[in-house]
Each structure stands twice: as C-alpha cells, then as structure tokens.
Amino acid sequence: MNYFSTDFRLGILGGGQLGKMLLTETRKFDIATNVLDPSKEAPAQFGAHQFTQGDLLDFDTVYNFGKSVDVLTIEIENVNLEALEKLESEGVKTYPSPSTLKLIQNKGQQKDFYTQHQIPTAPYKRFDDTSSLKTYVEEQNISFPFVWKIARFGYDGNGVKIVRNFEDIDALPNAECIIEQMIPFKNELAVIVARSASGEIITYPVVEMEFHPEANQVEYVICPARIPQVVSDKARALALKVSEKYNHVGLLAVEMFQTEEDEILVNEVAPRPHNSGHYSIEASYTSQFEQHIRAILDLPLGNTDSKVAGVMVNLVGAEGYTGQVFYEGMKDILSIDGVTPHIYGKRETRPFRKMGHVTIVNPDMEKARAIAQQVKETIKVISK
C-alpha cells in the first residue's frame, strides 16, 4: 500500500503529547491522520488532518472513529477493547492488537502473564479492592513497606504508592490493585523494542531512569545506561523475550529493575511510544516515534543506535502553582549548546503534571548529565 501523499488514513486513539510527537513524523512523510481524544484541548489536535473529540472508552465512539481509517494505533492503553476487536474482525488493521492490549491494560493481569511465561518479576499479590487488601494485611501480618499499584488507569506516577504503615492503606482508593515486594535495586532501566507487522524486530539501547522520590515520576532518562555491558545484554535479551511473548506490533517499552546482584526483573510494559524513549528524537538515528510508524505500517525498521549521548529531563508543573502555564528560564536554557526543549501544548499547569521535556546531547555522557542538572535547576514550570 502507498501511504505517502495519498488518501490512506492512519487513526490514532489519544491526542496527548505522545500523539503530538507521532504527528511530527506523519507530517514529515505526508501521511494523513485522524486523532480521537476526549479533551477539546488535546495537544495533538493541531497536527492532525482531522481531530475528533470523544470518549476513548465508549464503544460507539471508538468503533465509528475506527471505521473511518485504514490502520489504527494508540498513544494510550485505556481504550475500548470490544470496539477494537470488532474493527479488527471487519478488516481494520489495529496495532497493537486488542488481544495484546487485553494482557497489558490491567497490571494484575500483566504480572500473571510474566509468571506464566517465566519472566522474572517482583513477587506480588492481586486484590479485587483495597478493602480486601486491608483485611489480608491484618490477617497475614504482612511486613511494611510494600508497593501498592492500582490495577487500571494509573498514569504519570498516579496509582503507585509506597505503603509504609497500616494507616497508609486507609488513604488509598478502594479499587482493584496489586501489592509488590520492595526490591532493593541499583538502577531502574528500560528497553524499547520495535516489532513490525511482518515480524522484523530490533531494540533500542538500554536507558537508565532517575525518579522523583515523591511523585514517582521519571526526572531523567540517560542513554546509554551507565551499566556494565553484560547487564545491558541481559536487559535487551529479556526485553526481546517479553516482546516475543506479547506478540505485539509497534513499540513495546519494557521497564525493569537491576537488582543488587545484577539480576533483571520486569516491572511493567507500555505498548506504545514511551517517556523513556523521548531522548531518541535528538540522540538517535531513528526516533521512537518514526520507528512506531515504520513498525505499524510494515516499513523497514530504522537504525536504533545513538548518534551521541542523550539525557532527557522531564518538565513537570512546580509544586504550589496551578493555572495558566509560564516557563521560567526558557531563554536561559536555550542559550546552552545541545539543549532542545519540547513543549507539549498544555495551557494549564498543576503540580507534577507533565508539561514538556528537554533533551541534552553531548559526545561526553558526564557532560550531558551535568548540563541536564543545570537545565533542571534553571527552568521552572509555574503559573502566571
């Protein structure tokens, strides 16, 4: 099929910042796009050929949208699977497939999937709601701390809490959830795997992630990860195994822990472009967004090597500020060599909301990381 400068239509479910960055690549190739998102202020609305406001979890909305396109993809996992299944049965190519998404949407089912396929992961237990978790902790005398995760609809650190005492449980929403054993680890790592519709597969280099201790959000993504080659090889091999078992098409971001003994445990996955791959826009031969388009359209996959060391800094809303966004220090960071900011187009800021990111590239990783720290300390996402 000819995708370029034709009547072919690619549909994207979700119009957030990931959708916006996908559209940079579709416009580069002159691929026509339709985007569906519940917000009239979705960042991707201006880059799409056609934007539709609608509920991603509503069957009729997703089904009718999907009927208007030739290939359908996502930038968010929480979409109506029944509509995708019907569209797929009627010949609309849907990547990732609804069968893959069904395994990933629920974090409890994700963990069960890893266990069934002998994929190493942290010990866990599933609960129908937080009330039953509370009863279990009381009866089994579970030791603190442990990690609590909501099973569905968590995002950007929301839905993940460290439970340090019994009183912390009372503050949790009463929803389906899992708890995980706290794992002592050296690093949090991630590997993005790209897999085309015809089965071509390739991985990006292992990245290292540094998290904000309070918000549980990634603050820095560092590529390549500062780990021994043997650990890097182990992480990439495990990511390939996870990809094989999910049988996905498109991108699969595999988040991992490197333990004190240098074992690799899978934390969770995302079947789409991911925060851990934003560095690739400037630092890689093929960005993760271009790669996703190549994979779902069954085009040859691009080179995943890095041209230069890259560090990504997330820009999130500063604590104490809510309202019309203002980026304090933007001119200062633009005066630094190798610094590229990406602003997502969200007009309203609030504490810890993802508003953009900054990529720093440099031939020397230590210099890139030092500049990233300078950027983090210079730019502030506040309100007017």
Side-chain angles (χ1 to χ4, degrees):
M1 181 179 289
N2 183 11
Y3 305 109
F4 314 106
S5 301
T6 67
D7 293 331
F8 169 84
R9 286 277 169 162
L10 173 65
I12 303 173
L13 295 174
Q17 63 263 23
L18 299 178
K20 179 185 179 186
M21 288 183 274
L22 273 172
L23 294 177
T24 299
E25 304 303 328
T26 57
R27 296 190 76 85
K28 179 174 73 179
F29 291 139
D30 196 30
I31 296 171
T33 52
N34 293 8
V35 171
L36 175 68
D37 192 89
S39 173
K40 65 180 181 181
E41 298 179 353
Q45 64 176 303
F46 300 111
H49 289 74
Q50 181 176 321
F51 174 75
T52 303
Q53 185 181 356
D55 186 353
L56 296 173
L57 292 171
D58 179 71
F59 177 91
D60 290 337
T61 300
V62 173
Y63 176 73
N64 291 329
F65 175 81
K67 291 296 287 183
S68 69
V69 303
D70 300 291
V71 173
L72 191 59
T73 192
I74 64 165
E75 66 117 49
I76 186 171
E77 296 93 309
N78 293 316
V79 297
N80 189 289
L81 292 184
E82 290 74 20
L84 296 189
E85 288 170 343
K86 185 170 178 59
L87 288 164
E88 188 177 57
S89 72
E90 294 176 356
V92 178
K93 294 180 179 179
T94 303
Y95 302 123
S97 70
S99 58
T100 298
L101 283 174
K102 187 175 290 186
L103 295 169
I104 292 174
Q105 274 189 347
N106 184 294
K107 289 184 179 179
Q109 291 176 3
Q110 265 198 59
K111 297 290 279 190
D112 289 347
F113 181 84
Y114 304 145
T115 301
Q116 291 162 9
H117 293 279
Q118 292 79 52
I119 295 168
T121 191
Y124 70 100
K125 188 168 181 61
R126 296 180 63 178
F127 297 91
D128 291 334
D129 50 46
T130 311
S131 298
S132 56
L133 161 63
K134 188 174 182 180
T135 301
Y136 178 81
V137 172
E138 286 178 320
E139 293 178 350
Q140 301 296 321
N141 194 27
I142 299 299
S143 60
F144 296 97
F146 57 79
V147 180
W148 171 90
K149 294 181 179 179
I150 197 165
R152 292 198 62 186
F153 306 117
Y155 69 96
D156 290 352
N158 293 290
V160 179
K161 299 291 182 185
I162 305 299
V163 178
R164 303 185 185 282
N165 52 57
F166 197 77
E167 290 69 30
D168 284 349
I169 300 175
D170 292 328
L172 299 173
N174 193 32
E176 184 185 356
C177 59
I178 64 172
I179 62 171
E180 293 181 350
Q181 179 181 321
M182 289 278 287
I183 300 295
F185 59 84
K186 291 180 183 177
N187 290 302
E188 295 198 48
L189 309 173
V191 176
I192 290 177
V193 185
R195 187 171 185 271
S196 73
S198 59
E200 184 184 1
I201 190 166
I202 194 168
T203 71
Y204 279 83
V206 184
V207 302
E208 176 185 346
M209 300 183 291
E210 297 181 10
F211 280 74
H212 187 286
E214 179 184 344
N216 196 43
Q217 286 181 323
V218 176
E219 284 194 298
Y220 301 94
V221 173
I222 299 166
C223 185
R226 298 166 295 184
I227 56 176
Q229 186 62 46
V230 64
V231 176
S232 176
D233 292 344
K234 191 183 299 185
R236 291 177 91 160
L238 182 56
L240 284 171
K241 179 180 179 180
V242 175
S243 169
E244 174 195 355
K245 297 303 181 183
Y246 273 122
N247 195 32
H248 72 101
V249 171
L251 298 188
L252 186 74
V254 185
E255 297 184 53
M256 307 167 170
F257 298 120
Q258 176 193 358
T259 71
E260 296 290 352
E261 294 76 32
D262 286 340
E263 293 302 309
I264 303 296
L265 304 179
V266 172
N267 180 20
E268 55 189 56
V269 300
R272 52 168 171 76
H274 190 257
N275 193 255
S276 65
H278 289 349
Y279 77 92
S280 65
I281 299 173
E282 280 76 35
S284 302
Y285 285 99
T286 310
S287 81
Q288 67 163 339
F289 299 98
E290 178 180 330
Q291 198 77 274
H292 185 70
I293 300 301
R294 286 173 176 246
I296 63 175
L297 299 184
D298 207 20
L299 300 168
L301 298 182
N303 185 351
T304 58
D305 291 343
S306 295
K307 295 180 284 187
V308 66
V311 180
M312 189 274 296
V313 180
N314 267 331
L315 297 181
V316 301
E319 292 182 84
Y321 293 91
T322 298
Q324 175 67 41
V325 66
F326 179 74
Y327 295 89
E328 183 179 80
M330 180 66 80
K331 288 184 178 180
D332 295 320
I333 68 166
L334 283 170
S335 68
I336 306 171
D337 287 344
V339 170
T340 304
H342 293 258
I343 303 303
Y344 295 157
K346 302 173 184 178
R347 299 297 180 89
E348 298 290 319
T349 186
R350 57 178 180 268
F352 300 117
R353 187 184 192 193
K354 282 185 182 175
M355 302 297 290
H357 73 266
V358 180
T359 305
I360 298 91
V361 295
N362 195 288
D364 186 316
M365 170 55 76
E366 294 311 312
K367 287 183 180 179
R369 180 61 181 83
I371 294 170
Q373 186 69 40
Q374 180 185 353
V375 167
K376 185 73 174 178
E377 294 171 357
T378 300
I379 191 166
K380 303 295 179 187
V381 184
I382 61 175
S383 55
K384 289 184 176 178

